[in-house]
Amino acid sequence: MTTAPKSPGRPRSSVDAEVFAATLRTVEELGYTRATVDRIAAAAGVAKTTIYRRWPTKGALITACLVDAFGPPSLAGETREELLAETIRWTAAKVAEPGLGAAFAGVFTDAVNDPGLRGLLSTRFQAPYLAALRDALGESDRTVLFLIDVVVGTLLHRMGMTGEPMADADVEALVAMTRGVLS
Amino acid sequence: MTTAPKSPGRPRSSVDAEVFAATLRTVEELGYTRATVDRIAAAAGVAKTTIYRRWPTKGALITACLVDAFGPPSLAGETREELLAETIRWTAAKVAEPGLGAAFAGVFTDAVNDPGLRGLLSTRFQAPYLAALRDALGESDRTVLFLIDVVVGTLLHRMGMTGEPMADADVEALVAMTRGVLS
């Protein structure tokens, strides 16, 4: 290994990827609260200012990390019921990835008392899924927002109570239950 | 006001009540992460050691505060459907109380990476509701735990995304949706 990771000539996307990976590792290891920007910077091998130049707060960093890890909405399924079911299974698999469930739960906790962070989460993270699901399911924003609360909230609460992702059988119970919400 | 709040002769229950009230006020004002035991002690007008003697960690304090604020399970309703509906409405009202939703969301976030705290939450906070609902609904532990994840998770996720408790119409959508989970 050379000292390349600190080279100023490195492309931005590569620094981003390294910081996101370090963020998830640190959250997985220490938990959301103890995963400070200081510790994340140390784990990524970058200066703290490198992080703050890109993301002014820990909440902004975690939001960007979630956007990167979840990626664009992937909507598969022949029928609306199948599409909803596949989306729920995909969300459950994402929340089960190391560090991702804890980062997700943590950022929502901070958002309860932080309007700026709620705005970021809503516009940068949730909005594309809301729009894609609204169009694919042909449901109102209100119904899709309700479904997002139910699916994500249930998965994160299970993780908080057991420290484990939800078992497949319970994910299928979630699929069966939410089918009734479609109009 | 005299200096009574620091009198050593004060009954334990009165100190507890004051610390719990200060905990919720501090979480409401600063958010869960910034509501440290130091700040809670200052808000309650007690020494930090007074808190740590009773609750060895912030997680233990928040769990005790939740147990106190939620109180014993109150199960009303002529039918199982009504009982579940009333329990959901009661939970939604509790989560909407100042500081309580944020404290609830925060302690679950910390629990993701803290097995000791998960044990406390499970045995001290969740167990009485699980037992009471299991008996009243005649459902398996697995079904009741699933319902708890759905109801609490949905309410807390809504609070994280909007900073507001769930509107009544959406609480009723939650009631209608979960009815189908009963066997």
Side-chain angles (χ1 to χ4, degrees):
Chain A
M1 285 294 281
T2 66
T3 53
K6 282 192 179 170
S7 151
R10 214 151 39 118
R12 179 179 169 132
S13 60
S14 132
V15 176
D16 285 7
E18 214 154 309
V19 171
F20 291 153
T23 301
L24 292 178
R25 280 201 313 276
T26 309
V27 168
E28 168 78 359
E29 193 187 335
L30 302 176
Y32 180 86
T33 304
R34 291 167 60 218
T36 58
V37 172
D38 268 17
R39 280 170 159 150
I40 292 168
V46 302
K48 210 165 86 164
T49 49
T50 303
I51 294 191
Y52 280 124
R53 216 176 300 129
R54 287 166 166 76
W55 307 283
T57 61
K58 174 175 166 180
L61 167 60
I62 300 279
T63 303
C65 183
L66 290 176
V67 169
D68 178 74
F70 276 77
S74 127
L75 299 171
E78 292 288 307
T79 63
R80 298 193 311 147
E81 283 74 11
E82 276 177 37
L83 192 144
L84 178 59
E86 281 305 314
T87 303
I88 292 171
R89 292 180 193 118
W90 173 83
T91 310
K94 284 288 181 189
V95 167
E97 287 181 14
L100 213 44
F104 209 169
V107 81
F108 279 105
T109 296
D110 277 356
V112 171
N113 288 67
D114 184 340
L117 181 54
R118 286 203 301 277
L120 266 187
L121 278 170
S122 168
T123 55
R124 302 274 175 89
F125 183 44
Q126 187 174 264
Y129 299 106
L130 171 59
L133 281 168
R134 184 188 54 214
D135 296 346
L137 295 174
E139 297 283 351
S140 66
D141 275 12
R142 190 190 146 209
T143 298
V144 176
L145 287 170
F146 177 78
L147 284 167
I148 291 174
D149 287 332
V150 169
V151 172
V152 176
T154 301
L155 293 168
L156 294 181
H157 189 271
R158 172 63 54 104
M159 189 141 236
M161 281 309 293
T162 66
E164 303 277 343
M166 185 166 255
D168 288 349
D170 284 315
V171 174
E172 291 310 311
L174 195 52
V175 165
M177 181 184 71
T178 50
R179 199 174 293 138
V181 175
L182 297 179
S183 57
Chain B
M1 286 292 283
T2 66
T3 53
K6 282 191 180 174
S7 151
R10 214 150 41 116
R12 177 176 172 136
S13 59
S14 132
V15 176
D16 285 7
E18 215 153 308
V19 171
F20 291 153
T23 300
L24 293 178
R25 278 201 314 275
T26 309
V27 169
E28 169 78 1
E29 194 186 335
L30 302 176
Y32 180 85
T33 303
R34 290 168 60 217
T36 58
V37 171
D38 269 19
R39 279 170 160 150
I40 292 168
V46 302
K48 211 165 85 164
T49 49
T50 302
I51 293 190
Y52 280 125
R53 216 176 299 130
R54 288 165 164 79
W55 307 283
T57 62
K58 175 175 166 180
L61 167 61
I62 300 280
T63 304
C65 183
L66 290 175
V67 169
D68 178 73
F70 276 76
S74 124
L75 300 171
E78 292 288 306
T79 64
R80 298 192 312 148
E81 283 75 10
E82 277 177 36
L83 192 144
L84 178 59
E86 282 303 314
T87 304
I88 292 171
R89 292 180 193 120
W90 173 83
T91 309
K94 284 287 180 188
V95 167
E97 288 181 14
L100 213 44
F104 209 169
V107 80
F108 279 105
T109 296
D110 277 355
V112 171
N113 288 67
D114 184 340
L117 180 54
R118 287 205 299 276
L120 265 186
L121 277 170
S122 168
T123 56
R124 301 274 174 87
F125 183 44
Q126 185 173 263
Y129 299 106
L130 171 59
L133 280 169
R134 185 186 54 214
D135 296 348
L137 295 174
E139 296 284 353
S140 66
D141 275 12
R142 191 192 146 208
T143 298
V144 176
L145 287 171
F146 177 78
L147 285 167
I148 291 173
D149 287 331
V150 169
V151 172
V152 176
T154 301
L155 293 168
L156 294 181
H157 190 272
R158 173 62 55 103
M159 188 141 236
M161 281 308 294
T162 66
E164 302 278 340
M166 185 166 253
D168 288 349
D170 284 316
V171 173
E172 292 310 311
L174 194 53
V175 165
M177 181 185 70
T178 50
R179 199 175 292 137
V181 175
L182 296 178
S183 58

